Amino acid sequence: MRTLVNSLRLLAVIAVVAAILAQWLVSSKLDTYNFFNFFGYFTIQSNIFIALAFAATLVAAARRKRGELGLSLFRGASTVYIATTGIVYNTLLVSVDVQTSVQWSNDVLHRVLPVYAVLDWLLFSDRARLVFRHVWWFLLYPAVWLVVILVRGATDGWVPYPFLNPDLGYGVVALYCLGVAVFIVLMGVLVIGMSRLRLVKV
């Protein structure tokens, strides 16, 4: 079972790298390409986070140091972020052009990885039991990301997603941000609750 789980996680890391690289190779040839804009998308960053989390988990498994608290917090946070990517895309952005023109890459980053990451966290036991106060740690990165995006939207006018466009009015943008923040908290509580389960021993 351990070999199967590690193989699935390795495939997930490879899939993320391949999907981001495929999209970057297309986007980098466009006249409108900007390195910071491409990697400024929450989609790209959350997928990088989950790939790093799986890679770190594979290293920990090789060193027989599974279930450490720090790594579990990082993996739990990454699971929350990639789940947020999946839910937000498939509810608010599914009909919007978010500059992922490579369809299979789009599916991997917005559908396959979010589903797999949540199942991986739910099913496999090699994680520490988290406590509910840890949910506030999960909010740090999205808060920093959001501040940067709002500053950019107010200065150079670039925002990655339409619902963050200041032209909508900051009241509307604030409501969207609040909704996403509430979702992250609820998803964080769910992820922490899942950490108490031991469905498949690894």
Side-chain angles (χ1 to χ4, degrees):
M1 177 58 70
R2 188 176 302 165
T3 301
L4 173 61
V5 171
N6 288 340
S7 297
L8 289 172
R9 288 170 178 167
L10 179 59
L11 286 173
V13 173
I14 293 171
V16 170
V17 172
I20 292 176
L21 181 59
Q23 183 57 55
W24 178 81
L25 288 172
V26 172
S27 298
S28 63
K29 294 182 174 70
L30 301 176
D31 293 337
T32 56
Y33 171 75
N34 179 295
F35 176 88
F36 296 103
N37 291 355
F38 181 84
F39 287 98
Y41 281 88
F42 194 87
T43 291
I44 300 296
Q45 294 183 20
S46 62
N47 274 275
I48 291 173
F49 270 118
I50 198 65
L52 290 174
F54 284 145
T57 302
L58 289 170
V59 171
R63 298 173 62 187
R64 301 185 182 279
K65 292 185 177 182
R66 297 180 298 275
E68 293 183 335
L69 179 59
L71 178 55
S72 295
L73 272 172
F74 179 54
R75 189 173 143 218
S78 300
T79 301
V80 171
Y81 304 152
I82 195 68
T84 302
T85 291
I87 294 295
V88 170
Y89 175 80
N90 289 287
T91 55
L92 298 179
L93 300 170
V94 69
S95 60
V96 176
D97 178 15
V98 290
Q99 294 189 0
T100 48
S101 56
V102 181
Q103 187 57 50
W104 70 265
S105 171
N106 183 71
D107 291 338
V108 167
L109 299 177
H110 290 112
R111 297 188 174 97
V112 177
L113 258 298
V115 170
Y116 173 73
V118 172
L119 289 175
D120 183 281
W121 180 265
L122 170 64
L123 294 175
F124 304 135
S125 63
D126 56 337
R127 42 174 165 56
R129 287 180 171 86
L130 305 182
V131 296
F132 288 107
R133 69 174 179 272
H134 288 143
V135 73
W136 303 114
W137 288 100
F138 297 168
L139 286 171
L140 289 179
Y141 157 69
V144 171
W145 179 86
L146 184 61
V147 168
V148 172
I149 294 303
L150 291 178
V151 169
R152 288 205 59 190
T155 54
D156 65 17
W158 183 81
V159 291
Y161 307 113
F163 60 84
L164 296 176
N165 192 330
D167 291 342
L168 296 173
Y170 282 104
V172 174
V173 171
L175 287 176
Y176 276 115
C177 293
L178 178 62
V180 173
V182 169
F183 174 82
I184 290 175
V185 170
L186 293 177
M187 190 66 202
V189 169
L190 182 60
V191 162
I192 289 170
M194 288 179 185
S195 74
R196 313 296 179 83
L197 303 177
R198 292 294 183 269
L199 298 183
V200 179
K201 187 176 181 180
V202 178

